[in-house]
Amino acid sequence: MASYHADGTLPGNNAVFVFGSNLGGKHGKGAALVASKRFGAVRGVGEGRTGDSYAIPTKDARLKVLPVTRIAEAATRFLEYAKANPDVSFWVTRIGCGLAGFTDAQMAPLFRGAGPNCNFAQEWEPFLKEDDDNA
């Protein structure tokens, strides 16, 4: 069953901060900047885990918003990584809902099927609750 946190809060120790990124790994604004300053996100790495962070690209290297299908592919790779690492806790931000301009209704469903080691922003609960009801 998924768990939820207030948007904008930060995880405690031993949680990986999952954030929206760009393929250039610039990490200059929003949650990406927080990931860079507090969770070890490495500049130049636009997808995957570095330090205590995991980048999911929502923009290309020139900061143009990616199509939802491309973001969905990256979300699937994250979900596979999270399932392969059940002892790791993942604190998932509202990926794509800030600077990329998508709605919660567009982004949250990309993360359906996440394991219990994923903690999502409360705004996504209505879109992921169906998974909890079927657990």
Side-chain angles (χ1 to χ4, degrees):
M1 177 182 289
S3 56
Y4 301 93
H5 62 267
D7 185 37
T9 60
L10 297 178
N13 293 338
N14 302 320
V16 172
F17 186 76
V18 184
F19 67 100
S21 182
N22 60 73
L23 289 172
K26 295 179 175 99
H27 308 324
K29 294 182 180 180
L33 182 59
V34 172
S36 177
K37 289 188 172 200
R38 304 237 353 227
F39 297 97
V42 174
R43 287 186 61 80
V45 179
E47 182 174 358
R49 184 164 177 189
T50 57
D52 288 326
S53 67
Y54 189 104
I56 296 178
T58 60
K59 294 184 177 186
D60 67 15
R62 294 184 178 189
L63 306 183
K64 181 180 175 204
V65 175
L66 293 172
V68 173
T69 55
R70 293 273 310 275
I71 299 168
E73 292 167 358
T76 297
R77 287 189 290 275
F78 163 71
L79 292 173
E80 290 169 355
Y81 181 83
K83 286 179 183 175
N85 292 277
D87 295 334
V88 177
S89 295
F90 295 93
W91 189 270
V92 183
T93 64
R94 291 174 59 223
I95 292 160
C97 297
L99 299 171
F102 292 103
T103 65
D104 295 311
Q106 290 172 296
M107 292 290 105
L110 304 182
F111 294 85
R112 282 192 178 144
N117 59 334
C118 293
N119 185 295
F120 296 97
Q122 289 172 337
E123 288 81 355
W124 284 14
E125 186 172 7
F127 308 102
L128 299 175
K129 183 127 177 63
E130 178 180 303
D131 287 346
D132 292 346
D133 291 343
N134 293 326

